[in-house]
Amino acid sequence: MDILLIILGALCLLTGLAGCILPMLPGPPLAYAGLLLLHFTERVQFSVSQLLAWLGIVVVIQVLDYFVPLLGAKYSGSSK
């Protein structure tokens, strides 16, 4: 079971890394899902505070990823 979780976690991490370049993939949530999958194995353990800190970072990044282009368009004078 650990091998399957490690493979799925690595695939999620690599897909999350690709999501940093490809706009159609949500990179940070996929990478966080990979971390969670790796956490459930016996080989890799993260503390709860580490997981919560990374979750907070992912949420902030996702919110900024949505609002920063809107604010940039607003202040550059684009139309609706």
Side-chain angles (χ1 to χ4, degrees), residues 32-67:
Y32 185 72
L35 285 178
L36 284 178
L37 287 172
L38 289 175
H39 174 71
F40 291 122
T41 65
E42 292 180 4
R43 306 239 182 230
V44 180
Q45 292 296 316
F46 299 106
S47 69
V48 175
S49 61
Q50 286 175 324
L51 290 174
L52 290 175
W54 284 112
L55 178 62
I57 292 170
V58 167
V59 168
V60 167
I61 288 173
Q62 286 301 110
V63 168
L64 288 175
D65 192 36
Y66 180 75
F67 284 112

Side-chain angles (χ1 to χ4, degrees), residues 3-50:
I3 295 173
L4 178 65
L5 286 175
I6 290 172
I7 291 171
L8 288 175
L11 286 175
C12 282
L13 286 171
L14 289 173
T15 307
L17 183 63
C20 293
I21 300 168
L22 303 172
M24 66 199 118
L25 293 174
L30 284 172
Y32 185 72
L35 285 178
L36 284 178
L37 287 172
L38 289 175
H39 174 71
F40 291 122
T41 65
E42 292 180 4
R43 306 239 182 230
V44 180
Q45 292 296 316
F46 299 106
S47 69
V48 175
S49 61
Q50 286 175 324

